[in-house]
Amino acid sequence: MATDWLGSIVSINCGESLGVYQGRVSAVDQVSQTISLTRPFHNGVKCLVPEVTFRAGDIVELKILEIPGPGENQHFGDLHQTELSSSGVGYQVGVNQNGTGKVVKKPASCSSAPQNIPKRTDVKSQEVAISPQQQQCSKSYMDRHMESLSQSRSFRRRHNSWSSSSRHPNQATPKKSGLKNGQMKNKDDECFGDDIEEIPDTDFDFEGNLALFDKAAVFEEIDTYERRSGTRSRGIPNERPARYRHDENILESEPIVYRRITVPHHVSKEFCTDSGLVVPSVSYELHKKLLSVAEKHGLTLERRLEMTGVCASQMALTLLGGPNRLNPKNVHQRPTVALLCGPHVKGAQGISCGRHLANHDVQVILFLPNFVKMLESITNELSLFSKTQGQQVSSLRDLPTSPVDLVINCLDCPENAFLRDQPWYKAAVAWANQNRAPVLSIDPPVHEAEQGIDAKWSLALGLPLPLGEHAGRVYLCDIGIPQQVFQEVGINYHSPFGCKFVIPLHSA
């Protein structure tokens, strides 16, 4: 009969528009196809109205969550109600496409445990009796449910208080059941349902509890245990393992010898490379002897001039900007180099450098004074230079008045000291100092008195001379002198160049 369902707690799903309602059945009318719920909850929130009535066409799904015990539905009165199409626990009522209600019989099982829908306050005030059959059916679920909840201290405290104040000694424990919204609400009550009076008034003493921890003693105990057991520390070890670069050999090798070059005379000044190798300076006489012995063994002046020109031009191209400046997109920004040369071998080295720069699309202006008789090496270099797009001038008036990108100085030679008194020499020195362009000196002299132009960079050949501060930053180029040639002049030599032909030197 329909009266058997009065007082049952049901959940009615009315679709996405109306939502889900839960409550206790107060009336069922099969004629008008309606069902009424008292004390309803809408989507887990208690409704403001005491009773809600639903039509069969609005119901998508109906679930019976809890059936009252014998005699609990008599207080609803002798309402005119009709029988449902079937009876039992766990029925679901749906709606078909034409809007008429249909009853789907689904026997209840122990896994579909009922849950209580009202709020926490309602659970305290109401008394629900459970039949022995229902209690046996839901026993396994309640055992699992209570076991998981008993792990919370707040739940145990509230459970004891509910047992002593709300529950009658002769009544069974009410079953908690419901949908997802009801479960979330019960969890919120369990987490945030403590009374305000139970919150402690004093703050937690962080400093006091931290002082109870003896950090030094704990770490000492850990170290002692690791020394005895031989286990590796999980923290930062006292001695960090050596770290190697990707190009560094991890195998043990012989000790590195940084002084690989020794000279037969007293060294007045020493340099060192980026790798730390020591490069001693040599006197002008020993340097001249080295070049003459190399020329005797086949390293002729022409070869030396060519090698010096290549190394000097490579360094100059790097100083001019390298690939950032010299590329097809910067054709309108061709660098300009002024080359100051004297009528000697050092001047021929500068002309060779200018020829290579002109071949790399650098605008070269070569200054060389007119002389009645020139050295053969200079004549040969000028003949090659004339085949390039470089410009040769013999008057300082033809030099640019605006600053150029780089000035290469090859005016000075220790063997031709009288040239420093010539008017063209003094005028060239004055022009270079006033042009405000950086100066690169190729194979400069030793003494500062012989240098009229302050250089920013200086390029030495083979081995450096004891250059002073006027030479700027010193670079060393390899002109191809064999190792046995060094040994022949008394120099124990090991190449410091590595993979390069031009390397920087630093004052040791």
Side-chain angles (χ1 to χ4, degrees), residues 379-400:
T379 304
N380 295 335
E381 291 296 334
L382 286 177
S383 176
L384 292 174
F385 182 80
S386 63
K387 304 301 179 181
T388 64
Q389 296 181 356
Q391 180 184 359
Q392 179 185 357
V393 297
S394 59
S395 176
L396 293 174
R397 298 177 182 178
D398 298 330
L399 292 176

Side-chain angles (χ1 to χ4, degrees), residues 307-320 322 353 356-357 360 440 459 477 500-502:
M307 195 65 186
T308 304
V310 171
C311 293
S313 61
Q314 288 182 353
M315 181 177 177
L317 292 174
T318 303
L319 297 177
L320 291 173
C353 176
H356 289 287
L357 290 176
H360 287 266
L440 169 62
L459 182 63
C477 73
K500 300 180 180 179
F501 282 87
V502 181

Side-chain angles (χ1 to χ4, degrees), residues 301-302 305 344-345 348 374-382:
L301 178 61
E302 290 77 10
L305 292 178
H344 39 67
V345 177
M374 293 284 187
L375 295 177
E376 183 180 0
S377 58
I378 293 180
T379 304
N380 295 335
E381 291 296 334
L382 286 177

